[in-house]
Each structure stands twice: as structure tokens, then as C-alpha cells.
């Protein structure tokens, strides 16, 4: 099993969700996060005063999938979240050692 973690622009969430639904991936966790990479923030003007925004708002999407699906899920996220501009995000694929469904006690791939 794998855990696919994607950091994406908030405006691309619906496209990512639809793309994952088309792959029969329905469970995901979405968290509002802030951060920066090469983009390093930007400057904004508020009431005539310029200030630097170092941490930009992003969404962290986490999806637990079977190992065979991980590459397809990552490709689908990449295609649906890509705008071609700096700050589109990153995708990480991590090994997932164990999963247990709390309600039923199922574990492993059956719990996904």
C-alpha cells in the first residue's frame, strides 16, 4: 500500500477530486496548509502599505491506495492540478505499512 500526498493550489481541488473519482478513488483527506518552495512568496499592498507574504495558502491532499494504483493516482493528480505556472505543487508517494478501519477492524487493503 502507498500513501500519495499532494500539495496543490486551492483552486485546483475540484479538478483533482473529479480526476480521482474517475479512477474509482473516493477516499481522501484534504488539509489547508501554508508554505513555499521556489516561489518564495510575493508582495501585496494592503491599505497603501506593502508587505511580504512568505507562506502561500495550499491544500494538502492525502490518499491511501493499493501499490498498483499509486502511479496512476499520481499521474492523474499531476494532470489535473497542473497550470504550467510556478507554485503548482508537489506529489510525494510514501510506503504505507498498515491500515486499519476503526469501525470494522478490517486491516490491509480491505480497509482502504
Amino acid at each position: 500500500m502507498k500513501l500519495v500526498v499532494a500539495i496543490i493550489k486551492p483552486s485546483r481541488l475540484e479538478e483533482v477530486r473529479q480526476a480521482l473519482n474517475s479512477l474509482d478513488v473516493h477516499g481522501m483527506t484534504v488539509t489547508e496548509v501554508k508554505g513555499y518552495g521556489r516561489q518564495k512568496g510575493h508582495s501585496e499592498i494592503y491599505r497603501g502599505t506593502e508587505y511580504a507574504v512568505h507562506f502561500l495558502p495550499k491544500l494538502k491532499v492525502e490518499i491511501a491506495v493499493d501499490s498498483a494504483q499509486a502511479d496512476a493516482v499520481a499521474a492523474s493528480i499531476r494532470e489535473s492540478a497542473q497550470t504550467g505556472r510556478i507554485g503548482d505543487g508537489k506529489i510525494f508517494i510514501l510506503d504505507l505499512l498498515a491500515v486499519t478501519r476503526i469501525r470494522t477492524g478490517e486491516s490491509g487493503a480491505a480497509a482502504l
Side-chain angles (χ1 to χ4, degrees), residues 6-21 28-32 58-63 76-77 80-83 88:
I7 308 297
I8 63 170
K9 289 183 175 184
S11 62
R12 304 304 294 175
L13 178 61
E14 186 58 28
E15 289 84 352
V16 169
R17 189 189 67 76
Q18 289 175 357
L20 292 173
N21 278 344
M28 71 175 72
T29 301
V30 178
T31 310
E32 292 180 3
K58 302 286 182 180
L59 293 178
K60 180 179 177 181
V61 180
E62 298 171 296
I63 308 126
S76 180
I77 292 170
S80 58
Q82 184 179 29
T83 65
D88 276 351

Side-chain angles (χ1 to χ4, degrees), residues 9-59:
K9 289 183 175 184
S11 62
R12 304 304 294 175
L13 178 61
E14 186 58 28
E15 289 84 352
V16 169
R17 189 189 67 76
Q18 289 175 357
L20 292 173
N21 278 344
S22 70
L23 290 178
D24 260 356
V25 175
H26 300 290
M28 71 175 72
T29 301
V30 178
T31 310
E32 292 180 3
V33 296
K34 291 185 178 192
Y36 70 92
R38 289 185 181 163
Q39 197 173 6
K40 295 196 178 33
H42 64 276
S43 296
E44 288 187 5
I45 297 176
Y46 179 72
R47 294 189 177 186
T49 305
E50 185 175 346
Y51 65 97
V53 177
H54 296 291
F55 295 99
L56 301 172
K58 302 286 182 180
L59 293 178

Side-chain angles (χ1 to χ4, degrees), residues 63-78:
I63 308 126
V65 296
D66 191 64
S67 295
Q69 278 188 299
D71 289 335
V73 167
S76 180
I77 292 170
R78 183 183 165 276

